[in-house]
C-alpha cells in the first residue's frame, strides 16, 4: 500500500459495493465525493489567501496589516466574509436578471474547474486527460466570456467600457501565453500535465527561463493584476466591469481573482518548477502528502512574486499594454518557440549529456532575452524622440538636471 | 450503444435550424450565427462518421480541424465587413441595405 | 435505455432548444449567449463521440474566440433605438418551408442508406488521437497540403479583416 488516499478510496468503494449498489453508481458517488473534497480544500486555501494578500501588501507598504482579530489577524478573512454576506443584494435598474447573476458564478467556477487537471501528487489527480494544457486554456477562455457578460448586464456605460478593455487585454495576452505554454509541451512531447512533470528531471526554468518569464508576464496580464490592472483601477474607470456588483457577488469576483492568481502559480510550478517533484515523493506512506506540500510551496512562491509585481510597479496605460503584447511579447515568444524546437532536435541528435543540453539551452534563452531587451530599448528611445519632435516636449529628464544645476548656482 | 442514425438526424436538424436562421433573419450578424450553426452540424457529421465507420483513420478529425479554421477565418472577415458597413450606413439590417450606391 | 442514450437525449435537446432560441430571439445579445450554449452542447457531443481533443478545441476556438468576437461586433454595431419590428424578414415562411423540405429530404436519404444502424466499433485504447492528428498534419502523404492551405487562408483572413475594418478617417 503505497498511497494512503487511493487506498482509502478503494476501501470506501468496496463498502459501497457490498451494500449492493451497481458499479457505475458507486464510481459516480466516489467521483462526487472527490470533487467535493477538492473544492472544499481549494476554497479554504482561498480564504487563507485573503489574509496573505493583506499582510503582504501591508509589509510592502511598511505597515502591519490586520492584527486585531485573532492571532496575527488570522480571523480577519472570516470577518470579511461575514461582512460581504450581510450586505444588501442589489440588482441595478434595467439589468437583465439572469445575465446579471451568472458572471460571479462563472468567475469562481472556472477557476475551480482548472483544479480538476492539476496533479497534486504522482497519484492524486482529478482527471488524467492527455490534453490538460489545452483544457486550462479553454477554461481561461470561458472566464473571459463571464467578464463580458458582467460588463454588459450591468446597464452602466463604465462597466461596459471596462469589460471591453478587459476582454481586449485578455484575448491579446492569451497568445504569448499559449505560445510560451507550448515550450514545456515541446520539451515533454505531451500535453498532459502529469507527463510534463515526470519529464522534468531538470526543472524547465533552468532550461527555458525566457519561456517562464513570458508565461509569467502574460499570466499576470490575463489575471488583470497590476501592473496590468487598468481594467479595474479605482482611480481611472471606477472598478471597471464589477462596479455594479455588491455583497457576496463582488466577494465571488474577488475570491475568484485571488484563487486564479494561486492557480496560475500552481500551473507555473507544474510547467516550469517541476510540480510535485522533490526529495522523497516516492516514499510509501508520506509520498503523496509531500507531493502536495511541494506543489503548494512552489505555487505560493510564484504567488508571492506576483504580489511583488503588483505592489511595486505603477499601472500601465492600455495602449502601452497592448503595444507591449503585440510588438514585443508575441514575436519574442514565436522566435523562442522556433529556436527551442530547433535546438532541442539538434542536441537530441548529437546525443549530448544533460549538463551540456541545459547549458546550451539556457545560454540561448539568455541571448535571445538580452537581444530582445536591447532592441526594445532602441525602439522605445526612437519612439520617444519622434514624440518629442512632434510635440516639442523634452521627455529625457535633461530638464530636471538643468533645473538642478541652475538652482545650485543661484 | 447509440445508433449512428441518432447523431445524423441531430446534425440534420441543427443544419436545418441554421438554414432557417440564415434565410429568415434581418440582422446580418444573426445570419452569421446561422452559418455557424450549419458549420457545427457538419462537424458533428464528420466526427460521427469518423467514430462509427473508421476510427483507425484520423481523417475525420483532421477535416473537422480544417472546418474550425475556415469558420474562424470566415467569421473574422465577415465581422470586419459588417463593422465597415455599419460605419458607412449606420445599420446592418439586411432589409435596409438594398441599394448599391446610396 | 442505457445511461449513454439518456445523456445523449438530454444534451441533444438542450442544444437544439438553444439553436431554436438563436434563430428566433429578439435581443441580439441573448442570441449570442444562446449560441454559446449551442456550441458548448456540440462540444459535449464531441466528448460523447470519444473525440476529446476536438471537444476542447471547439471550446477554445468557438467559445473562446469566435463567440467573443461576435459579442464585440454586436456591441459595436448596435443602434440606439431597438427595432420594434419583427426580427424576421419578409420571406420567413419560405425559409421555414425550405428548412422543413431540407430536413425531410435528408431524413429520406438517411433512411434509405444501408449502414444507418451501424454499431460503433471498439476503439484502440493504445491509440493517442492527439499524436495521430499531429503526425497526419505534417505527413507529406497525409494532410500537409491541407494544413498549409489552411495557414494561408488564416493569414489572408487576418490581413483582409484588418484592412477592411481599418478606420481611414484618422
Amino acid at each position: 500500500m503505497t498511497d494512503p488516499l487511493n487506498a482509502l478510496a478503494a476501501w470506501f468503494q468496496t463498502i459501497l459495493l457490498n451494500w449492493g449498489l451497481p458499479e457505475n453508481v458507486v464510481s459516480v458517488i466516489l467521483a462526487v465525493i472527490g470533487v467535493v473534497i477538492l473544492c472544499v480544500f481549494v476554497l479554504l486555501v482561498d480564504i487563507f489567501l485573503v489574509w496573505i494578500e493583506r499582510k503582504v501588501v501591508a509589509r510592502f507598504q511598511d505597515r502591519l496589516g490586520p492584527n486585531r482579530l485573532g492571532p496575527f489577524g488570522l480571523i480577519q478573512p472570516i470577518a470579511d466574509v461575514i461582512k460581504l454576506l450581510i450586505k444588501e443584494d442589489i440588482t441595478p435598474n434595467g439589468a437583465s436578471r439572469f445575465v446579471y447573476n451568472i458572471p460571479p458564478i462563472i468567475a469562481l467556477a472556472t477557476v475551480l474547474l482548472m483544479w480538476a487537471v492539476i496533479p497534486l501528487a504522482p497519484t492524486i489527480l482529478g482527471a488524467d486527460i492527455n490534453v490538460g494544457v489545452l483544457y486550462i486554456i479553454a477554461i481561461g477562455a470561458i472566464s473571459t466570456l463571464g467578464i463580458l457578460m458582467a460588463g454588459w448586464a450591468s446597464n452602466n456605460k463604465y462597466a461596459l467600457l471596462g469589460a471591453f478593455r478587459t476582454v481586449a487585454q485578455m484575448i491579446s495576452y492569451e497568445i504569448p501565453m499559449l505560445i510560451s505554454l507550448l515550450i514545456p509541451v515541446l520539451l515533454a512531447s505531451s500535453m498532459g500535465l502529469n507527463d510534463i512533470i515526470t519529464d522534468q528531471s531538470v526543472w524547465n526554468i533552468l532550461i527555458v527561463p525566457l519561456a517562464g518569464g513570458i508565461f509569467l508576464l502574460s499570466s499576470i496580464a490575463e489575471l488583470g493584476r497590476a501592473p496590468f490592472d487598468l481594467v479595474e483601477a479605482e482611480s481611472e474607470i471606477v472598478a471597471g466591469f464589477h462596479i455594479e456588483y455588491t455583497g457576496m457577488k463582488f466577494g465571488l469576483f474577488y475570491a475568484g481573482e485571488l484563487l486564479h492568481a494561486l492557480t496560475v502559480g500552481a500551473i507555473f510550478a507544474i510547467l516550469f518548477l517541476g510540480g510535485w517533484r522533490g526529495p522523497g515523493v516516492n516514499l510509501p506512506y508520506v509520498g503523496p502528502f509531500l507531493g502536495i506540500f511541494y506543489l503548494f510551496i512552489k505555487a505560493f512562491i510564484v504567488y508571492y512574486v506576483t504580489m511583488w509585481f503588483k505592489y511595486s510597479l505603477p499601472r500601465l496605460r492600455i495602449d502601452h499594454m497592448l503595444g507591449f503584447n503585440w510588438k514585443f511579447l508575441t514575436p519574442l515568444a514565436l522566435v523562442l518557440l522556433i529556436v527551442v524546437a530547433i535546438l532541442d532536435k539538434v542536441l537530441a541528435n548529437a546525443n549530448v549529456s544533460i549538463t551540456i543540453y541545459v547549458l546550451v539551452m539556457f545560454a540561448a534563452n539568455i541571448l535571445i532575452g538580452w537581444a530582445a531587451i536591447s532592441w526594445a530599448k532602441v525602439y522605445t528611445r526612437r519612439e520617444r524622440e519622434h514624440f518629442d519632435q512632434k510635440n516639442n516636449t523634452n521627455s529625457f529628464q535633461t530638464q530636471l538636471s538643468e533645473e538642478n544645476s541652475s538652482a545650485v548656482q543661484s | 450503444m447509440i445508433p449512428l442514425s441518432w447523431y445524423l438526424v441531430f446534425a440534420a436538424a441543427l443544419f436545418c435550424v441554421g438554414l432557417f436562421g440564415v434565410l429568415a433573419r434581418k440582422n446580418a450578424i444573426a445570419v452569421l450565427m446561422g452559418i455557424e450553426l450549419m458549420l457545427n452540424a457538419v462537424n458533428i457529421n464528420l466526427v460521427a462518421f469518423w467514430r462509427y465507420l473508421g476510427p483507425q483513420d484520423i481523417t475525420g478529425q483532421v477535416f473537422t480541424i480544417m472546418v474550425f479554421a475556415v469558420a474562424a477565418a470566415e467569421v473574422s472577415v465577415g465581422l470586419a465587413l459588417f463593422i465597415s458597413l455599419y460605419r458607412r450606413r449606420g445599420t446592418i439590417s439586411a432589409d435596409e441595405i438594398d441599394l448599391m450606391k446610396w | 435505455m442505457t445511461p449513454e442514450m439518456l445523456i445523449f437525449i438530454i444534451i441533444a435537446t438542450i442544444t437544439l432548444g438553444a439553436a431554436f432560441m438563436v434563430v428566433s430571439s429578439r435581443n441580439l445579445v441573448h442570441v449570442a449567449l444562446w449560441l454559446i450554449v449551442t456550441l458548448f452542447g456540440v462540444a459535449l457531443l464531441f466528448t460523447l463521440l470519444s473525440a476529446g481533443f476536438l471537444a476542447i478545441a471547439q471550446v477554445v476556438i468557438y467559445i473562446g474566440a469566435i463567440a467573443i468576437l461576435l459579442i464585440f461586433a454586436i456591441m459595436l454595431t448596435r443602434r440606439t433605438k431597438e427595432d420594434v419590428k419583427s426580427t424576421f424578414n419578409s420571406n420567413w415562411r419560405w425559409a421555414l418551408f425550405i428548412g422543413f423540405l431540407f430536413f425531410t429530404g435528408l431524413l429520406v436519404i438517411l433512411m434509405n442508406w444501408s449502414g444507418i444502424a451501424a454499431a460503433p466499433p471498439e476503439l484502440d485504447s493504445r491509440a493517442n488521437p492527439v499524436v495521430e492528428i499531429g503526425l497526419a498534419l505534417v505527413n507529406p502523404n497525409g494532410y500537409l497540403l491541407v494544413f498549409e492551405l489552411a495557414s494561408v487562408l488564416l493569414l489572408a483572413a487576418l490581413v483582409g479583416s484588418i484592412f477592411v475594418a481599418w478606420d481611414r478617417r484618422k
Side-chain angles (χ1 to χ4, degrees):
Chain A
M1 177 171 35
T2 61
D3 189 357
L5 288 172
N6 277 349
L8 198 66
W11 168 78
F12 195 59
Q13 185 176 22
T14 48
I15 288 188
L16 285 179
L17 280 173
N18 286 339
W19 282 354
L21 295 170
E23 173 130 12
N24 39 6
V25 174
V26 169
S27 54
V28 166
I29 291 179
L30 278 179
V32 167
I33 292 179
V35 163
V36 166
I37 292 180
L38 182 65
C39 286
V40 165
F41 178 55
V42 166
L43 288 173
L44 285 176
V45 172
D46 191 12
I47 294 193
F48 184 54
L49 281 179
V50 176
W51 177 79
I52 288 187
E53 178 98 17
R54 293 183 65 166
K55 276 296 201 184
V56 167
V57 60
R59 296 294 174 150
F60 268 106
Q61 294 168 353
D62 203 18
R63 52 186 176 92
L64 284 178
N67 57 359
R68 291 199 181 269
L69 295 177
F72 296 108
L74 278 170
I75 316 287
Q76 182 72 39
I78 302 183
D80 279 342
V81 167
I82 296 177
K83 172 194 83 167
L84 286 173
L85 278 172
I86 62 181
K87 279 200 175 182
E88 184 187 354
D89 192 23
I90 305 176
T91 307
N93 207 2
S96 166
R97 285 217 58 187
F98 181 73
V99 185
Y100 180 74
N101 286 321
I102 290 284
I105 304 176
I106 292 184
L108 193 55
T110 52
V111 181
L112 282 178
L113 278 174
M114 282 199 213
W115 281 91
V117 289
I118 291 184
L120 301 172
T123 48
I124 300 177
L125 182 56
D128 193 7
I129 54 179
N130 60 347
V131 286
V133 161
L134 204 58
Y135 173 85
I136 290 179
I137 297 169
I139 302 297
I142 296 182
S143 76
T144 311
L145 203 67
I147 292 176
L148 204 55
M149 276 169 42
W152 175 75
S154 302
N155 200 19
N156 177 343
K157 62 176 179 287
Y158 288 111
L160 192 59
L161 206 54
F164 273 173
R165 290 209 278 194
T166 309
V167 171
Q169 176 188 324
M170 285 190 173
I171 59 179
S172 308
Y173 275 92
E174 262 175 24
I175 297 185
M177 187 171 92
L178 263 168
I179 301 178
S180 65
L181 215 120
L182 278 179
I183 296 181
V185 169
L186 197 85
L187 295 176
S189 314
S190 162
M191 278 203 264
L193 288 174
N194 229 356
D195 292 336
I196 294 181
I197 296 183
T198 48
D199 181 75
Q200 282 182 55
S201 47
V202 177
W203 287 3
N204 274 343
I205 193 82
L206 296 173
I207 304 181
V208 279
L210 192 57
I214 297 176
F215 180 72
L216 192 62
L217 281 176
S218 354
S219 294
I220 295 180
E222 279 276 320
L223 288 173
R225 277 169 93 86
F228 301 103
D229 69 343
L230 188 68
V231 294
E232 55 173 28
E234 279 104 23
S235 52
E236 320 237 352
I237 197 164
V238 205
F241 64 89
H242 52 68
I243 183 178
E244 294 283 350
Y245 286 91
T246 60
M248 205 53 206
K249 295 184 202 155
F250 170 73
L252 283 178
F253 271 123
Y254 186 60
E257 184 186 320
L258 288 180
L259 191 58
H260 199 179
L262 183 69
T263 313
V264 157
I267 296 172
F268 186 89
I270 290 174
L271 290 173
F272 292 98
L273 294 179
W276 43 252
R277 289 183 87 99
V281 279
N282 289 324
L283 297 177
Y285 283 97
V286 296
F289 298 110
L290 272 183
I292 301 179
F293 178 66
Y294 288 142
L295 178 68
F296 272 94
I297 290 275
K298 295 175 192 174
F300 272 108
I301 291 180
V302 178
Y303 180 62
Y304 180 77
V305 170
T306 317
M307 279 197 285
W308 200 352
F309 266 100
K310 174 169 177 167
Y311 296 119
S312 325
L313 294 175
R315 191 170 290 145
L316 289 183
R317 224 169 58 190
I318 186 92
D319 55 338
H320 290 163
M321 224 189 316
L322 294 175
F324 177 63
N325 175 44
W326 291 111
K327 297 186 198 170
F328 184 70
L329 276 187
T330 309
L332 180 63
L334 282 171
V335 163
L336 185 66
L337 180 67
I338 297 175
V339 168
V340 166
I342 296 179
L343 268 184
D344 189 47
K345 285 304 166 205
V346 161
L347 291 174
N349 279 343
N351 252 339
V352 295
S353 71
I354 272 276
T355 330
I356 300 186
Y357 177 81
V358 169
L359 282 175
V360 169
M361 294 279 255
F362 189 79
N365 268 267
I366 299 291
L367 197 67
I368 297 178
W370 173 82
I373 294 181
S374 349
W375 174 85
K377 246 201 261 187
V378 166
Y379 176 77
T380 49
R381 182 166 277 259
R382 223 183 315 143
E383 248 193 37
R384 255 188 301 181
E385 279 169 357
H386 281 168
F387 183 79
D388 280 348
Q389 264 176 13
K390 223 173 35 164
N391 302 359
N392 215 6
T393 53
N394 190 346
S395 60
F396 277 99
Q397 297 296 328
T398 52
Q399 237 172 358
L400 197 61
S401 53
E402 279 171 17
E403 284 173 8
N404 269 342
S405 49
S406 67
V408 164
Q409 276 176 5
S410 65
Chain B
M1 271 309 116
I2 306 177
L4 176 59
S5 53
W6 287 24
Y7 283 109
L8 298 183
V9 167
F10 169 78
L14 194 61
F15 186 85
C16 294
V17 170
L19 186 64
F20 172 70
V22 168
L23 294 175
R25 298 256 338 198
K26 270 199 250 182
N27 194 316
I29 297 186
V31 169
L32 205 57
M33 293 196 200
I35 298 179
E36 289 306 309
L37 288 179
M38 295 204 282
L39 284 169
N40 272 294
V42 166
N43 272 342
I44 295 214
N45 248 350
L46 280 169
V47 178
F49 277 125
W50 168 79
R51 172 73 177 88
Y52 280 72
L53 297 182
Q56 62 278 2
D57 260 334
I58 202 69
T59 310
Q61 296 205 19
V62 170
F63 270 98
T64 311
I65 294 179
M66 294 304 144
V67 172
F68 283 159
V70 166
E74 157 233 340
V75 165
S76 78
V77 174
L79 289 175
L81 283 170
F82 292 159
I83 290 181
S84 175
L85 198 59
Y86 181 78
R87 282 202 197 113
R88 304 234 175 203
R89 304 293 178 95
T91 175
I92 48 170
S93 171
D95 274 3
E96 303 178 13
I97 307 173
D98 51 358
L99 291 178
M100 290 282 262
K101 209 168 168 204
W102 290 272
Chain C
M1 178 74 75
T2 66
E4 237 185 39
M5 286 181 163
L6 192 63
I7 293 178
F8 175 82
I9 290 179
I10 294 177
I11 297 178
T13 322
I14 294 179
T15 312
L16 276 179
F20 274 116
M21 296 301 292
V22 166
V23 302
S24 58
S25 248
R26 196 171 282 262
N27 185 345
L28 261 191
V29 184
H30 286 174
V31 168
L33 296 175
W34 283 119
L35 184 72
I36 289 172
V37 175
T38 316
L39 296 172
F40 201 68
V42 170
L44 289 176
L45 282 176
F46 282 160
T47 326
L48 216 57
L49 282 167
S50 323
F53 175 70
L54 283 182
I56 298 187
Q58 160 102 356
V59 173
V60 174
I61 297 176
Y62 268 103
I63 301 181
I66 293 183
I68 291 185
L69 190 59
L70 280 168
I71 294 181
F72 258 98
I74 290 172
M75 291 185 189
L76 287 174
T77 56
R78 270 203 302 190
R79 286 193 285 190
T80 50
K81 170 173 69 83
E82 295 298 329
D83 43 355
V84 292
K85 302 185 286 266
S86 155
T87 59
F88 297 131
N89 59 17
S90 52
N91 24 2
W92 66 274
R93 293 186 186 82
W94 277 110
L96 203 58
F97 174 65
I98 290 179
F100 268 119
L101 198 65
F102 242 78
F103 185 57
T104 28
L106 282 170
L107 277 184
V108 163
I109 296 177
L110 286 175
M111 289 310 145
N112 290 338
W113 178 50
S114 61
I116 194 69
E122 287 300 315
L123 281 179
D124 188 4
S125 62
R126 287 170 300 121
N128 191 354
V130 181
V131 170
E132 280 184 39
I133 293 178
L135 286 174
L137 282 177
V138 294
N139 186 0
N141 295 332
Y143 301 100
L144 179 62
L145 185 61
V146 179
F147 180 51
E148 296 297 334
L149 283 177
S151 319
V152 172
L153 174 71
L154 286 172
L155 180 65
L158 185 67
V159 173
S161 48
I162 291 177
F163 186 71
V164 166
W166 202 343
D167 200 1
R168 279 185 217 93
R169 282 177 290 180
K170 292 209 176 72

